[in-house]
Each structure stands twice: as C-alpha cells, then as structure tokens.
DNA sequence: TTTATAAACGCAACTCAGTTGCAAATATAT
DNA sequence: ATATATTTGCAACTGAGTTGCGTTTATAAA
C-alpha cells in the first residue's frame, strides 16, 4: 500500500494534515464514506466545506470515485491503484448493505457486457447489488 | 392501456383530480419523473407536499418504483402491469441519458444472475446504463 | 340523502446535504 | 526570504425533501 504522502504527490495535491489524514482514512476503510462519516472520523478539521472541497478535488484527480448510496447521499471510495488523471476505469460491481447502509466495491464481480439497444447508445455500465454484508450477517 | 381510474381503484387509492392527472402523466411519459418535473407538468395542484405524499403513497402500493438519477434526485417510473401490492418484481435495466438527464426503464435488457460472494448475501440486483437516449442522439 | 370517517390536501415552517463567497492561512516553488 | 496558487474556515445560502396541523373531500355506511 503506497503511503498517503506519495499519493497526494502523485495527484499534484498539497500535503496538508487534513488531506493526509483523509487519504489514510480512505485507505483503512473497507467500505465507502460520506462527507458526514468523514467528519466524525477525522481530527484535523471539523469544517464540512473543507471536507466537501477535498472530496471534489480528489474526485477530479481520480483518486476517489462516487459509489451508489441508498439514501441518495454522495458517497466515495478509493480508486484502484491503476487509476490516474488520464486513465480512469472501473469495471467492478458495488454492494449496498441494507442493514448497516455501507457501500462496498466488489472487485471480483465484473460488469456484464451490454450492447446498444433500440436507439440507446450505452457508454457506461453500473452494477449495484443489495443485501447484507459480511459483518452484518 | 388501463384507465387511470381503474388503476387508482385497483390500488385502493382515492380518485382525486390530482391523482388521476398524476397517473395519466406517468402513463404518457416515456421516461421517469422527479417531484419537480411533475409540478411543472401538472395543473391540478402546485403544492410540492401534495406531490411528495402522492408519490410516497403510489410507491408504497407498488404503482410506481424509484429509478436511479444522476444528481441523486428521487425519480419514479410506472411499474409494470403485473405489479400489485403483494407481487412486486422488476428485472429490467435502467438507462440514464447523460445529455437530457432523463432515466428510462429498458424492459428488454434483463438483469444478470449474480451469486453470493465472499460473505456478501445478495438479495437484489440493479443494472444501470448510461449514454445518450434515442431523442438525444 | 345524510352522515361518519379515513384519506388527501394545502400552507407554513422546518431539516439537512451540499454550495458559494470571501478573507486568512499555508504548502511549495523560485 | 518571497511570491503564488492552493487550501482552509467561517457565515450565509440553496434547494430537495419532511413534518405538523387544521381543513377539505372521496367514499362507504346508515
């Protein structure tokens, strides 16, 4: 696992205390995070604007990606190591736990190949699963 | 196409002017609708609370179902004729147009069969496609 | 037809996630 | 040491969706 500093460097982001802590938090999370969950878990800031702006910056640089959420919150997870500013591709499924409401990236379930159909041009495919996660069942 | 009155009757909902108009609006829409889109298209009320409560009631009775939305809005589409209060099953894909932002139900794309994996118990599968819709391309 | 009642309506006020503006602070390059 | 762009933090805002409550109305029962 690459160190948080290296990652911020790689993506041309400043190494502030908060952003280092945020990268480390994402690295140590098995599931995805909302802005509010981040605020509760982090020490170096308590300002939601700071958190939202970091998330926007991280997403723009393809360090993190949005994942689905049951209650329509914005929820993020770390991208794969292969992702960078020019190459950004995810072909994994997402899993939402109906008990704890967490969302997980499931790398070993690949997306089905769907072809264009009756006038719809398909450029992206998302597969979202629901049920109960390992720690809830 | 069954008449709106019949539908409200079938689902034990009162036939008010607004709810009749709402059912007809859903029937005549090729894509899904948000509360705000409904407010703009409907004449019999201008109150958003009335709209939200009708949507909640319709959803509870399985007359409509939620569909994904790019900007995390709550978006609904009519259920299939087979759906009722005891039997409610959808196995179609959803398509989000990246140009007009509408969401469509794609009945002829069926969901892949995904099995439980490494501790995750899967009870529901959702397949969401993105691209450009027939009227946008 | 009248009456009773549960469902539906409409208004005001609220909640809460996410955003915007702006001035102050700080990481980093020169 | 200095300059510059990035990041931070506060206050105030936006806009989707919700809650409370009193009134109205569809429907069923008398």
């Amino acid at each position: 696992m690459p160190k948080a500093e290296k990652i911020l460097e790689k993506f041309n982001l400043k190494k502030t205390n908060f952003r280092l802590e945020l990268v480390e938090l994402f690295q140590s999370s098995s599931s995805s995070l909302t802005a509010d969950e981040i605020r509760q878990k982090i020490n170096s800031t308590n300002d939601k604007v700071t958190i939202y702006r970091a998330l926007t910056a991280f997403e723009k640089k393809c360090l993190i990606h949005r994942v689905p959420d049951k209650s329509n919150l914005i929820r993020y997870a770390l991208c794969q190591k292969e992702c960078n500013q020019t190459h950004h591709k995810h072909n994994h499924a997402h899993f939402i736990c109906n008990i704890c409401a967490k969302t997980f990236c499931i790398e070993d379930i690949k997306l089905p190949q769907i072809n264009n159909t009756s006038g719809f041009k398909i450029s992206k495919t998302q597969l979202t699963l629901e049920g109960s996660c390992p720690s809830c069942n």
Side-chain angles (χ1 to χ4, degrees), chain A:
Chain A
M1 171 108 60
K3 282 195 61 186
E5 296 203 10
K6 291 275 177 202
I7 290 187
L8 289 177
E9 223 162 66
K10 172 185 167 192
F11 288 98
N12 289 310
L13 293 162
K14 286 193 178 175
K15 293 174 238 168
T16 64
N17 288 339
F18 160 59
R19 292 195 174 193
L20 283 167
E21 197 185 353
L22 183 56
V23 172
E24 281 159 10
L25 175 59
F26 271 114
Q27 289 179 324
S28 65
S29 293
S30 58
S31 67
S32 60
L33 296 164
T34 63
D36 201 64
E37 288 166 359
I38 290 165
R39 178 138 74 141
Q40 287 166 37
K41 291 184 182 173
I42 236 165
N43 298 307
S44 41
T45 192
N46 194 36
D47 184 53
K48 63 177 181 171
V49 181
T50 300
I51 295 170
Y52 280 114
R53 285 205 259 244
L55 291 173
T56 305
F58 283 15
E59 186 189 19
K60 202 171 164 190
K61 302 278 184 166
C62 300
L63 203 167
I64 56 176
H65 64 285
R66 291 192 187 208
V67 301
D69 178 87
K70 262 257 158 165
S71 0
N72 280 3
L73 298 174
I74 301 181
R75 187 174 277 283
Y76 290 100
L78 213 56
C79 285
Q80 294 152 299
K81 289 183 203 69
E82 304 86 62
C83 286
N84 58 45
Q85 289 176 65
T86 54
H87 171 83
H88 184 61
K89 201 90 186 170
H90 294 285
N91 69 332
H92 60 261
H94 291 108
F95 181 93
I96 299 176
C97 177
N98 282 328
I99 298 164
C100 67
K102 288 181 182 163
T103 301
F104 304 81
C105 296
I106 310 284
E107 297 289 348
D108 43 307
I109 296 183
K110 302 301 177 194
L111 303 184
Q113 179 62 42
I114 310 285
N115 299 316
N116 294 351
T117 178
S118 53
F120 292 93
K121 275 188 194 154
I122 295 165
S123 59
K124 189 181 164 187
T125 303
Q126 260 184 291
L127 182 61
T128 307
L129 312 169
E130 275 178 44
S132 52
C133 75
S135 47
C136 284
N137 61 32

